[in-house]
């Protein structure tokens, strides 16, 4: 259910794990695909959405389910119940192959980084906290 547990279970580095995180930005849902070894910088996310930092909140479990159709820890990078803005952490590009949740906290799948970018239809951005 955690990025570290996922990495340990398949013997890969923490950074190659894709964390699919749901945020509410000014009340609107946004999905961030972040590298497992990075933290999302709420200031950078706020700037991307042209709002103040206080308008950025990590979605609750209930809100994540409502907006994506999946519980936290199992949110896949695609296949949400509605079209959502997606931002892809540029630090994921360090890896040719990444691993993302497959709809359950106990299921992950490998996917080439570039394929992830192509199918997610998201914007690759600098969103990791320094």
């Amino acid at each position: 259910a955690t990025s570290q547990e996922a990495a340990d279970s398949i013997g890969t580095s923490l950074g190659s794990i894709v964390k699919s995180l749901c945020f509410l930005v000014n009340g609107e849902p946004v999905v961030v695909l972040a590298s497992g070894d990075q933290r999302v910088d709420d200031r950078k996310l706020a700037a991307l959405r042209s709002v103040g930092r206080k308008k950025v909140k990590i979605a609750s479990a209930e809100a994540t389910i409502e907006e994506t159709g999946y519980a936290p820890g199992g949110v896949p990078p695609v296949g949400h119940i509605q079209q959502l803005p997606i931002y892809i952490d540029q630090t994921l590009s360090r890896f040719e192959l990444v691993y993302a949740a497959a709809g359950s906290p106990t299921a992950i799948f490998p996917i080439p980084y570039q394929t992830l970018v192509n199918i997610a239809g998201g914007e690759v951005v600098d969103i990791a906290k320094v």
Side-chain angles (χ1 to χ4, degrees), residues 95-126:
F95 304 95
E96 192 171 311
L97 189 66
V98 295
Y99 299 86
S104 159
T106 59
I108 58 176
F109 68 98
I111 184 170
Y113 166 76
Q114 196 56 56
T115 301
L116 173 69
V117 170
N118 293 342
I119 67 167
E123 182 180 350
V124 177
V125 295
D126 171 11

Side-chain angles (χ1 to χ4, degrees), residues 13 21 55:
S13 68
L21 305 169
K55 297 285 186 177

